[in-house]
Amino acid sequence: DVKVTQSSRYLVKRTGEKVFLECVQDMDHENMFWYRQDPGLGLRLIYFSYDVKMKEKGDIPEGYSVSREKKERFSLILESASTNQTSMYLCASRTGATGTRNQPQHFGDGTRLSIL
Amino acid sequence: KQEVTQIPAALSVPEGENLVLNCSFTDSAIYNLQWFRQDPGKGLTSLLLIQSSQREQTSGRLNASLDKSSGRSTLYIAASQPGDSATYLCAVLYNNNDMRFGAGTRLTVKP
C-alpha cells in the first residue's frame, strides 16, 4: 500500500514565522502535490512537482514556496506565516510514469495548521 | 472552466438504505474520475477510480458509474451502515493533467 506521511498532524505557529510542512511518500511516485482545504472552498492546489527539483504553481501559490530535493520528499514553506494561512494542508502523490496515469492519487492524513 | 459539482452538500439516511451520491463535471475531456472518502480531520482515502473508457467500477458495497457524454458520475452505496458516515469527494483528472475536486457530500447514516 502507498503511504504518504505528513510530519505533523497539528501545528501552531505565530504570525511572521517561517513554517515548514514536510511530506514523504514511499512508492517512488514522480508527482507530488500540496493542497489546502477550507470549509466551503474545497481543495485548492498550492504547488505541485512532477520530478526532483521541479515545481509548478497551482491555483493559490501566493505566500508559499516548495522544495523537492529528493524524489520521496516534498516540502511546503510558508515564508512569513499570516492568519489567513490557517487551514488544513494535504499532501498527495501520484505515479507519473508513462502509461500509468490511471493509477489513483494518494493523500496523507493532513496537517491542521493554526497561525496565531 | 473545468468545474466539478457535488449535490447534495449533505445527506442523512437511516441505516440499511441504499443511496446515491452525485458528481457532475463541465468538460468531457477527462482521463479518469476518482471517488474519495474523508473522515473528519483526516486525509482523503481513495475508494474507486473509473477510467474514461469505463462505465462503472465496483468495490464491495460501492459502485461508481461514469457517463462522460452527460458529464456525470454517481457513487452508489448499498445497505448503508453508520461506519459509512463521512464526506465523499469526487475528483476529475482531465486530459491536460489538471485534477479538479468537488466540494464533497457529507453523509450521515443514522443507526
Side-chain angles (χ1 to χ4, degrees):
Chain A
D1 268 1
V2 175
K3 190 150 181 68
V4 180
T5 304
Q6 294 184 229
S7 54
S8 305
R9 289 296 313 280
Y10 302 95
L11 208 52
V12 180
K13 296 291 182 180
R14 297 217 171 267
T15 302
E17 278 192 69
K18 191 168 186 175
V19 181
F20 293 85
L21 302 184
E22 306 286 347
C23 175
V24 177
Q25 50 93 5
D26 66 357
M27 281 301 290
D28 203 37
H29 283 169
E30 290 76 14
N31 298 316
M32 295 189 75
F33 307 84
W34 275 107
Y35 297 89
R36 63 178 284 178
Q37 185 178 32
D38 300 287
L41 296 176
L43 268 80
R44 292 180 292 168
L45 181 64
I46 305 171
Y47 266 98
F48 67 98
S49 169
Y50 54 88
D51 203 350
V52 176
K53 295 193 186 295
M54 306 300 289
K55 60 185 178 185
E56 294 284 343
K57 293 179 180 178
D59 298 321
I60 51 163
E62 296 78 19
Y64 303 94
S65 63
V66 290
S67 172
R68 187 139 182 231
E69 296 297 317
K70 293 185 178 181
K71 193 175 185 180
E72 68 270 19
R73 186 180 297 270
F74 192 34
S75 303
L76 179 70
I77 304 154
L78 285 66
E79 297 292 343
S80 177
S82 64
T83 55
N84 64 12
Q85 292 178 309
T86 291
S87 186
M88 172 71 127
Y89 289 87
L90 292 164
C91 175
S93 75
R94 187 172 82 228
T95 182
T98 303
T100 65
R101 284 177 72 196
N102 278 318
Q103 294 297 315
Q105 183 153 304
H106 297 270
F107 283 80
D109 275 343
T111 295
R112 175 128 352 244
L113 175 64
S114 297
I115 306 296
L116 304 179
Chain B
K1 190 179 175 185
Q2 296 167 332
E3 292 185 350
V4 179
T5 306
Q6 292 186 249
I7 294 173
L11 182 64
S12 181
V13 300
E15 182 177 3
E17 258 196 29
N18 303 325
L19 60 100
V20 174
L21 306 180
N22 297 295
C23 173
S24 60
F25 46 93
T26 55
D27 184 344
S28 62
I30 76 168
Y31 201 83
N32 62 47
L33 184 145
Q34 199 168 352
W35 280 94
F36 293 90
R37 169 187 172 134
Q38 185 176 30
D39 292 292
K42 293 285 196 84
L44 280 65
T45 299
S46 179
L47 297 173
L48 289 164
L49 183 147
I50 312 177
Q51 300 177 29
S52 62
S53 59
Q54 297 175 328
R55 295 286 300 203
E56 64 180 279
Q57 280 287 336
T58 299
S59 176
R61 293 182 295 108
L62 306 180
N63 176 277
S65 69
L66 174 65
D67 185 342
K68 238 176 51 167
S69 60
S70 67
R72 290 181 185 176
S73 175
T74 61
L75 180 66
Y76 174 83
I77 303 178
S80 59
Q81 303 169 357
D84 295 330
S85 297
T87 297
Y88 292 82
L89 294 94
C90 68
V92 176
L93 179 64
Y94 287 97
N95 288 340
N96 63 359
N97 222 26
D98 197 16
M99 179 175 269
R100 294 287 163 182
F101 290 80
T105 295
R106 189 173 69 254
L107 173 67
T108 303
V109 181
K110 294 182 282 191

